[in-house]
Each structure stands twice: as C-alpha cells, then as structure tokens.
C-alpha cells in the first residue's frame, strides 16, 4: 500500500503529496487524515495522509516507508483534507499551511532524537504501536559491552529505565560521557530514532473504581479488624460511590489516606487505574439549565425556515438580520436542538471577544455537557481536550472563534456565524481565510445550513441575500421589504459580485423581543460645544447624563472609538511627531510606563522631555486615549468607580471576564473601553451609553470606513435599555451630517446600505467586485520597485491573454483591473519597504490563479534577499 503524504514544509516547491510505503503493521490503522512521521530529505517530519495509491510515482527501490503513525485515531477527516486543498487554491497558500490551521496546537509536534539499547529493539517496537505515551520499560539488567566499549552501569540503568530516552536529556545529564555516547551510537550498542512527540499529552490521573465485587467488599467491611479502621472507612466510602473517583479527590475530599486505599487495591477489593482526564476550563461551574422559550411570531418564522432547511439536508445560506435584542440567540439555540435531534452536529462561531461567560452560559445552560468551547484564551492542553471531545464524538455542539469552523464533526447539520460582519472572522496571517466562506464550503460538503446572524450585516452578505443575481429578493422583494416599512429599496439591477460563494435567504427580525423600544439616540455636535466654550472631551449633555446615572445608582458604558487613532507625541513648536525608526508609523504614548511604543513591531523608547528636532519644551501627547478619559472622569466626578477595558488591561488570561463580572455585580459606575465594550454585553442596569468621538474611524483610507463606523455605533447603542429600565445613547461627533452617523441614530440599516452601496458602485468596490491585495516588501527600495513593476506587468499580460483585462466601468461580465504598484499606506514596516497592488475583478475571472502564476517566478529560490510577496484574497484590512 502507498500513502500519499503532505509533509510539513510550508514551501511552494514541496506543496504536493509525496509517496510512502505503508508497512503491514500499520496498514489497518492508517487512514486519510492520519498524522504520520516520515523521512524527508534526511530529516523526520510530520505529515498528513491525503490519499492512497496503488502505484508509487517513484521507483520501488527508492520508496521510503512511513516511520510512525502518530495517533490511533486520525485527527483529520477526509472532508477536512479536501477543504484544506480548496483553501490552498482559493487563498493561494500551501496545502500544509491550511492543514496546520485545522489541528490544535498540541498536535503540532516536534521531531526529537531518542536513543534506546539496541538489544531491546523488538520489545520497544511492539509497545510503541500499542501505547503512544506509555512505553514499556526495558527489564534486562547487567553490564552492557561490545568489544572494548562498555557503558557505565549508571548510564545503562538510566537509559533502561527511561527507554527510549531523549538524546538531549542524556547529553545534559551526563556531559562527562558525551564522547562515549557518540561511540556507542556509532558502534550500534545504542540505536537512535527520531520521533515526533506532541507538545502536550493527554492528561492521565489515577482513578479509583468502586468495588467490582460488591459482596466481597461488603463482607470485608464487616470482617475488618479494629486496627484497620482506616481501610474500612475507605472501602465503605467507595461502596457508596457509583462513579469512579480520581485518587487525588478521594484523598483530599474524603480525608482518606493513600496507604489505606493502596492496601485495599493490593487486596483486590478496589481497582486503581490510570484514566484520561479532560482539562475542563468550565469544570466545577454549575450552569443554570434553561428551557426553550416560546418563540415570538417573527422568531418562529425564521426558526421554521432554518429548521426546514436543516431537515432537507440541502446546503443553503441564510442571513438572519435581527436588531440588537431581537432574540437571535434563542433562534440559534432552538435550531441547534432540531439539528441534534436529527443526529447531526452544529458549529457556532462567535467573535473572540464575544466568547464571554454570558454567551457560554447560554449554550451550556441549554445543552450542558454536549457543548465544547474553543477559544484562544484556553491553555494548549485545555484546548486540546475540548477538541478531543469533538473528535471522539462526546459532544454535539462546538462553539468558538474563527478556527472552530474546522471542528472535526462527521455529520454537520448547521453552522451559525453570529455577528457575521465582524472582521475577526478573517485570519490576517496565512492561511488568510475568511471563516464565513470556509463555512459555506464546509456546508456544501455536509449538506448543511449556514446561518449568518447580525444586526448590521456586512455589505457582502447583504448583497448575497438581496442583490445577487437570482437571489429571491433581487426582483420581487415583497415580505422582506414590508418588514422595513413597505419601502422597496431601489437598487440597480446590475449583477452584483459578492465575496460569498452563493446567494443567501434573508430572514428579518426587525423588532426587539417583548416590544421593547430601541433606545433613543442623541447626536451631539462637538464643534458647537467648542464654540459654546466647552473644551472638555465631554459634551454638556453627556456630562449631565453621567451625573444623573451616578445619582440614581445606574450604570453607564463609555466607548472610545480608537480604530486607527491613538495618543501620539507632537511638538507644538515645529510639528515634529515621534515615529518608529523601523516602521513609518507614529509611536503610541503609554501613560503608565511613560514610554513610546510601536504597535506594529514593538519598538519601545522613552518619551522625550524636549523636542528632539527643535529643542522646544512644548512637546506633548495628543489624542484621547482611554487612560486620559479615565483621568478626566476622576477629575469631573470625584469618587466615580471606573472599569477600563482596553488592550492594556486585558492582556492577562481571564482578565476580560473578571472585569465584566465586576461590572455585572455593579462594583463600578462606568465601563470605559474600546471596541471591546460594544459587543454582546447584556447588563440590566446600563441605561446610558456614550460614544466619546464617533468620527475617528470615518476618515481612514479604507473603503469600509463608513460601514465599520455604522456597525460600531449601532452595536454600542444596542447595549442600552435591554431590560426594564429604558436606555439612552449619546453620540459625540465632529461630523453629525455624515450618513453613517445619521442612519445609526435612527437604527436604519436599510437607508445606510442604500447610500453606502451607491458609493461602492461608483468607486467599484465590493460587493460590486472582489479584491485581492498583493503586498511586496524588501529592505532595499530599488530592488522592491523593480520586482513590483515586473510582477504587475506580468499580471496584466496574463489577464490580457485570458481576455479579462477590461475596465470595471465597462459592461463586460468578466473584468479585471490591476492597480499599482504603489507604496503601501504603511510604507515601511519592521525595516522593510512595502509596495502593493490591488486587483479588482468580477465575473468568472480566476484572479487568484493569475496572481499565483505572476508571483511564482519571484517566490522560487532561496529565501534570503528575496522580495516577499503576500497575497490576501478578499482583504478585510486595507491599511
Ligand atoms: P440578540 O441575540 O438578537 O441580541 P437575544 O437573544 O440576546 O437577542 O435576546 C434578547 C433578550 O430577549 C434576552 O434576554 C432573551 O432571553 C430574550 N428573549 C429572546 N427570545 C425570547 C422569547 N421568545 N420570549 C421571551 N424572551 C425572549
Ligand atoms: Zn515599528
Ligand atoms: Zn520641535
């Protein structure tokens, strides 16, 4: 049998399967998706089996064998192997890079050199296949020698006890014998093997099982002499247990002694065994069980369509567009229940930041132990154990951030993507995939339904539901638009290109549950405040609002829109700003350490007292960081209790949750923060939401600036008045006339979209086309310019040959434009100059393939001194 293996070398030259012989001892175990160790170019590497073949591509004699099968159960499934292949084509990356994204970090093994005593080889090899982690110990003893060469007893015994033992460990422990070790290996007294070991192993604990023979145990309790009181107590206790108890817990919890438990085990009355234990981050936490709520009429309609689609086992995509508080989560929960009842599994994606205890509680409360939670704040071991619950079919639901889309379920019925417009669904490093598009592809493989949920859908998803050719609403649009007050949007009938792979069905939830009103939103023009003599960062309105809440004992949330905005240092005399010496970007001022830091490369320096350029003392920091807002609050409202939530206060594991839980317990009056405070929080005593400066993200050189601003304002406004107490929202801005501010005031997504689509259409941006951003970088500018120009020229030639190099303004269905090369918005990063090309295309153009072809000549050869080319398909961040 021949296995086709993708080896873990992320280079383009090796981006294809290599053939390996499968020896008979492994043949029954190896499957598509198995992780193996294989010899490759003189090394041992990890790889994945992607298929089998009858005939090898190399001659028989040169065919090497798979060295080791690394897991008894393959970590990947055939559909994931196929999905990785699709990702490598779609996102222009190597197959192995895509495969690596699918497995937990614990399985990203490292090759290590091990040695064992040669004569024990047979025994070692047997136990190896039997048990991955626990090797049988060598039992032979006695001086080992070969000719003149002999191992010191101490060394030999150590090796025998540990066998096989890491070579590095031996070298470290016995430096005086390193020469001897070398000779022993050369002479064959010791044998070396290279093995891939997991970073983290399954955790094993000693567990005590209740007596198998109850009668004998009961008799023993009755017969035990008085001096064995401890043993009697232990046995009696275990007789009452129905489940096995971890030894540690038995000793600590029940106050029994280890010796008495062991004595009972020796007598055969109890059984002690090693068992696997999950590192469960939610262990010991009780979740209140919640029953399904009777759905409202609107919820029912949406649920009905989702449930029917899941039952049909036909792949489909639905856009659940529901205002904040419209009960989307309840719809998800009930749809998942249906899916589970049909014997299928569900994946729920939420933005990392929304993986708060509140969200987890709702899912655990409904589905209990059937839920695995995957997020990046878990330790490698905890994450591995949650992942194993999925792979070993112990759970039916996986909830997690972006990469949970690769949860190794075998029969997926439903994939939910909550807050689908969030940029965190796009991975910014290779593989640069978008979880939404991967979800659609995975659903295709499983005949599953994808539900995209949002109050403010991305324009791409909205277009897929409403504007895409053949979408249900592109021509008619009866029911849907009735839900928006009978207005039918007037869109052009021109075919719209969406980043999404297929069209979607729109399911609207335009009202809050229980008829709660949307909070009133007030816009404050900060220019007028300044004219009126108010120089503070708080308008009179917001100041008053905060004072009222303090007096009534209610809570407030303050948002500082910090996207692309930070505190920087500037000289008021000459205009000098402190920039990073490695990146062309301003340094950010940090109050606590009084240091300047680069957010891109980490460069740190002391904040200057005088201007390095002109020597003036009028150098100071500008911008409104969260720290400054906090100081200002303390000055204006002495004694006010503020919880600040930003990148500085949430670096520690669990800190995010801790801060929120303190706020939930009303241990603070104000929750102040960046984007983090806008998402998914639900606190009954929050009656005021203030946005300090709405505009800071509006003027970024990014075509999504207005969309992001609208989404943020709408999200944060949704935090107020979700319960009995009515809510109030105050938005401070310098551009009150901008449509993204005005429409968010009225919670009017439709009007926003209508205006925004007009702009996108005029400027040819998604959803009217798709984009690929190619970034080239090098330390030397001339070399970079030359390669960038060659690349762009080659790409234009290829597009022309394919007959698609046509202006997007034309009426052609298939069109592609190559813009650039131009300097990137951040023209230098980590000492490398950066240029970029933007490719816009629509129709049946395979732009990714053309880009790959044009880039290929520049990507081959040695890495040193080369221009690096990064390819980002459907980029979310243009900066
Ligand atoms: P969304 O996810 O759309 O923001 P939620 O699912 O958080 O909305 O629902 C908002 C509130 O309404 C929650 O407190 C939820 O428990 C409640 N809720 C949802 N559906 C119902 C229902 N059918 N009946 C009563 N309350 C509901
Ligand atoms: Zn830098
Ligand atoms: Zn100066």
């Amino acid at each position: 049998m021949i296995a086709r293996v993708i080896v873990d070398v992320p280079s383009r030259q090796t981006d294809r399967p290599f053939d390996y012989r499968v020896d008979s001892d492994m043949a029954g175990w190896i499957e598509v998706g198995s992780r193996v160790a294989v010899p490759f170019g003189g090394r041992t590497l990890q790889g994945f089996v992607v298929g089998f073949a009858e005939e090898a591509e190399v001659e028989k004699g040169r065919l090497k064998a798979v060295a080791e099968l690394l897991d008894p159960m393959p970590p990947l499934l055939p559909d994931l192997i196929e999905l990785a292949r699709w990702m490598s084509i779609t996102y222009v990356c190597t197959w192995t890079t895509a495969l690596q994204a699918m497995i937990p970090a614990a399985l990203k093994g490292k090759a290590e050199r091990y040695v064992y005593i040669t004569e024990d080889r047979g025994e070692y090899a047997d136990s190896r296949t039997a048990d991955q982690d626990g090797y049988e110990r060598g039992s032979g003893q006695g001086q080992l020698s070969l000719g003149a060469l002999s191992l010191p007893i101490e060394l030999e015994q150590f090796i025998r006890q540990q066998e096989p033992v890491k070579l590095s460990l031996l070298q470290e422990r016995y430096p005086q014998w390193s020469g001897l070790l070398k000779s022993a290996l050369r002479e064959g007294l010791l044998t070396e093997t290279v093995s891939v070991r997991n970073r983290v192993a399954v955790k094993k604990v000693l567990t005590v099982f209740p007596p198998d023979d109850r009668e004998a145990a009961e008799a023993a309790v009755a017969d035990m002499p008085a001096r064995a009181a401890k043993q009697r107590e232990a046995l009696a206790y275990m007789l009452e247990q129905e489940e096995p108890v971890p030894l540690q817990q038995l000793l600590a919890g029940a106050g029994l002694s280890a010796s008495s438990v062991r004595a009972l085990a020796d007598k055969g009355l109890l059984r002690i065994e090693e068992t696997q234990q999950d590192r469960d981050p939610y262990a010991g936490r009780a979740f209140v069980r919640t029953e399904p709520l009777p759905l409202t009429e609107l919820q029912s309609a949406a649920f009905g369509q989702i449930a029917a689609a899941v039952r049909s086992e036909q792949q489909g995509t639905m856009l659940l567009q529901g205002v904040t508080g419209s009960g989307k989560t309840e719809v998800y929960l009930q749809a998942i229940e249906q899916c589970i009842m049909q014997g299928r599994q569900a994946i729920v994606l939420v933005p990392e930041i929304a993986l708060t205890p509140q969200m987890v509680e709702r899912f655990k409360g409904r589905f209990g132990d059937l839920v695995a939670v995957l997020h990046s704040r878990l330790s490698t071991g905890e994450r591995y154990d949650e992942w194993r619950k999925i792979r070993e079919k112990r759970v039916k639901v996986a909830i997690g951030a972006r990469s949970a889309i690769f949860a190794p379920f075998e029969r997926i019925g439903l994939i939910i993507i909550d807050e689908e417009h969030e940029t965190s669904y796009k991975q910014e490093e290779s593989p640069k995939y978008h979880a939404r598009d991967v979800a659609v592809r995975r659903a295709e493989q499983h005949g599953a339904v994808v539900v995209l949920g949002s109050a403010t859908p991305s324009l791409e998803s909205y277009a897929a539901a409403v504007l895409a050719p053949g979408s249900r609403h592109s021509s008619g649009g009866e029911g849907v638009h009735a839900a928006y007050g009978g207005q039918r949007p007037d869109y052009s009938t021109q075919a719209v290109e969406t980043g999404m792979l297929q069209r979607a069905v729109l399911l609207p939830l335009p009202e809050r549950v229980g008829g709660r009103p949307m909070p009133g939103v007030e816009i404050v023009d900060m220019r007028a405040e300044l004219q009126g003599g108010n120089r503070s960062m708080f308008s009179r309105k917001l100041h008053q609002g905060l004072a009222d809440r303090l007096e009534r004992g209610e809570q407030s949330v303050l948002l500082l829109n910090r996207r692309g905005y930070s505190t920087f240092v500037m000289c008021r005399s000459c205009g000098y700003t402190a920039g990073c010496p490695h990146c062309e970007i301003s340094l950010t001022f940090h109050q606590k350490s009084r240091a300047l830091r680069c957010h891109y490369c980490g460069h740190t320096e002391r904040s200057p007292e005088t201007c390095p350029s002109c020597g003036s003392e009028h150098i100071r920091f500008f911008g409104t960081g969260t720290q400054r807002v906090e100081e200002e609050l303390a000055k204006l409202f002495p004694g006010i209790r503020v919880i600040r939530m930003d990148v500085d206060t949430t670096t520690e594991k669990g800190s995010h949750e801790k801060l929120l839980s303190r706020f939930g317990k009303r241990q603070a009056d104000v929750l102040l923060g960046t984007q983090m405070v806008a998402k998914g929080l639900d606190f009954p005593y929050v009656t005021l939401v203030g946005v300090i400066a709405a505009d800071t993200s509006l003027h970024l050189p990014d075509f999504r600036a207005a969309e992001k601003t609208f989404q943020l304002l709408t999200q944060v406004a949704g935090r107020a008045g979700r319960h009995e107490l009515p809510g109030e929202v105050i938005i401070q801005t310098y551009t009150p006339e901008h449509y993204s501010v005005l429409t968010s005031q009225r919670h009017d997504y439709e009007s926003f979209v209508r205006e925004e689509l007009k702009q996108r259409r005029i400027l040819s941006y998604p959803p009217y086309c798709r984009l690929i951003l190619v970034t080239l970088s090098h330390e030397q500018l001339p070399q970079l310019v030359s390669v960038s120009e060659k690349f762009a020229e080659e790409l234009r030639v290829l597009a022309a040959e394919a007959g698609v190099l046509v202006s997007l303004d034309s009426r052609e269905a298939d069109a592609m434009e190559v813009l650039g090369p131009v300097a990137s918005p951040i023209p230098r990063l980590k000492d490398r100059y950066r240029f970029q090309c933007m490719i816009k295309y629509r129709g049946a153009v395979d732009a990714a393939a053309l880009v790959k072809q044009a880039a290929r000549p520049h990507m081959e050869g040695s890495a040193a001194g080369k221009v690096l080319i990064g390819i980002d398909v459907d980029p979310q961040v243009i900066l």
Side-chain angles (χ1 to χ4, degrees), residues 293-296 299 322-332 334 359 362 418-419 509 512-514 516 682 718-719 722-723:
L293 299 168
L295 296 178
T296 65
Q299 280 176 318
V323 297
T324 52
S326 60
K328 293 185 288 294
T329 312
E330 187 62 33
V331 174
Y332 303 153
Q334 300 200 15
M359 191 71 172
R362 289 176 82 171
D418 191 33
E419 310 285 2
L509 289 180
R512 280 189 162 182
V513 170
R516 277 184 202 122
D682 195 355
R719 296 306 112 215
R722 291 166 70 88
H723 297 265

Side-chain angles (χ1 to χ4, degrees), residues 110 112-113 115 154-155 158-159 162 165-179 181-182:
K110 211 173 122 211
E112 289 265 13
R113 296 161 73 192
V115 298
E154 187 189 341
L155 182 59
F158 183 76
I159 297 175
Q162 307 267 329
V165 53
K166 263 190 218 164
L167 185 56
S168 58
L169 179 67
L170 284 182
Q171 284 164 335
E172 203 176 291
R173 206 180 153 109
Y174 302 110
Q176 70 275 28
W177 290 326
S178 75
L181 278 171
K182 230 188 207 166

Side-chain angles (χ1 to χ4, degrees), residues 645-663:
M645 209 161 78
D646 56 26
V647 280
D648 291 336
T649 63
T650 52
T651 43
E652 247 170 72
K653 184 178 163 176
S655 51
H656 189 238
E657 290 81 350
K658 262 184 228 143
L659 294 177
L660 288 182
S661 126
R662 270 178 52 206
F663 190 64

Side-chain angles (χ1 to χ4, degrees), residues 570-576 610-619:
M570 189 172 112
C571 170
R572 300 185 95 179
S573 303
C574 74
Y576 161 88
T610 56
C611 173
S613 172
C614 74
S616 158
E617 283 173 15
H618 294 286
I619 184 157

Side-chain angles (χ1 to χ4, degrees), residues 580 582-583 585 598 600-603 830:
C580 175
H582 310 285
C583 314
I585 199 99
C598 171
Y600 287 87
C601 74
H603 169 86
K830 297 179 191 173

Side-chain angles (χ1 to χ4, degrees), residues 358-375:
Q358 285 187 325
M359 191 71 172
V360 171
E361 238 156 64
R362 289 176 82 171
F363 280 80
K364 287 254 183 190
R366 194 66 59 87
F367 303 113
D369 290 340
L370 294 180
V371 183
V373 182
L374 300 162
H375 59 90

Side-chain angles (χ1 to χ4, degrees), residues 179-484:
L180 193 64
L181 278 171
K182 230 188 207 166
S183 317
L185 280 165
R186 201 170 44 228
E187 300 296 327
L189 206 57
L190 295 177
T191 306
E192 187 186 30
T193 173
V194 179
S195 187
V196 179
R197 285 286 153 261
N198 292 346
R199 289 229 187 111
V200 180
V202 170
K203 187 171 163 190
K204 296 205 169 157
V205 290
L206 289 173
T207 304
V208 185
F209 288 76
D212 294 321
D213 184 348
R214 292 191 65 91
E215 269 175 39
E218 275 159 14
V221 170
D223 289 351
M224 267 184 205
R227 62 188 157 74
K230 288 248 176 237
Q231 284 186 38
R232 185 167 55 208
E233 194 188 331
L235 191 55
Y237 179 85
M238 282 312 295
L239 270 168
E240 287 166 21
Q241 306 305 311
E242 295 189 346
E243 300 287 326
V245 186
L247 180 62
Q248 217 50 47
Q249 190 185 320
L250 193 63
L251 302 183
L256 302 174
S257 76
S259 57
S260 55
V261 177
R262 290 212 185 270
L264 290 168
D266 290 342
K267 288 180 192 156
L269 290 166
L270 289 178
R271 194 155 46 86
I272 304 181
E273 274 180 22
E274 264 197 343
T275 56
Q276 296 189 0
Q277 195 194 44
D278 292 331
R279 282 154 285 217
D280 184 351
Y282 300 99
R285 284 261 305 278
F287 291 96
V288 184
R289 182 149 178 91
T290 62
E291 296 303 324
L293 299 168
L295 296 178
T296 65
E297 212 170 296
L298 283 163
Q299 280 176 318
S300 240
F303 165 77
Q305 289 213 51
I306 297 169
V310 172
R311 264 196 309 277
S312 78
E313 306 207 8
Q314 302 275 314
Q315 172 239 0
T317 303
M318 303 187 147
L319 176 59
L320 182 63
Q321 187 190 359
V323 297
T324 52
S326 60
K328 293 185 288 294
T329 312
E330 187 62 33
V331 174
Y332 303 153
L333 290 167
Q334 300 200 15
I336 292 168
E337 201 172 334
Q338 283 284 315
C339 173
I340 294 176
M341 271 163 32
Q342 286 163 41
R344 297 205 283 165
Q345 299 97 41
I347 296 175
V348 184
L349 300 188
V350 296
E352 184 73 56
I353 220 89
L355 267 174
T356 54
Q358 285 187 325
M359 191 71 172
V360 171
E361 238 156 64
R362 289 176 82 171
F363 280 80
K364 287 254 183 190
R366 194 66 59 87
F367 303 113
D369 290 340
L370 294 180
V371 183
V373 182
L374 300 162
H375 59 90
S376 64
R377 297 264 171 131
L378 301 183
S379 71
T380 306
E382 287 169 341
R383 222 182 132 81
Y384 177 41
D385 290 345
E386 290 293 299
W387 178 88
R388 281 193 8 247
K389 287 185 195 166
I390 300 168
R391 184 64 187 95
E392 292 165 8
K393 304 183 201 176
R394 288 182 279 144
V395 296
K396 307 277 183 218
V397 183
I399 170 166
R402 183 175 63 222
S403 65
I405 193 57
F406 304 120
F409 283 129
E410 288 177 9
R411 279 195 74 214
I412 301 169
L414 185 59
I415 301 174
I416 286 162
I417 306 187
D418 191 33
E419 310 285 2
E420 69 88 29
H421 59 275
E422 281 286 320
T423 39
S424 67
Y425 287 125
K426 175 75 193 280
Q427 175 151 305
E428 294 301 337
E429 64 264 22
S430 192
K432 297 182 180 179
Y433 68 92
H434 199 302
R436 186 174 57 208
D437 297 328
V438 174
V440 170
R441 176 69 190 173
R442 215 167 171 214
E444 228 167 69
Q445 296 175 316
H446 288 250
V449 174
V450 177
V451 174
L452 307 173
S454 176
T456 53
S458 64
L459 266 77
E460 285 87 344
S461 300
Y462 187 76
V466 177
L467 300 180
S471 92
R472 186 177 302 183
H473 306 290
S474 57
S475 48
E478 324 70 45
V480 175
H481 303 305
Y484 292 100

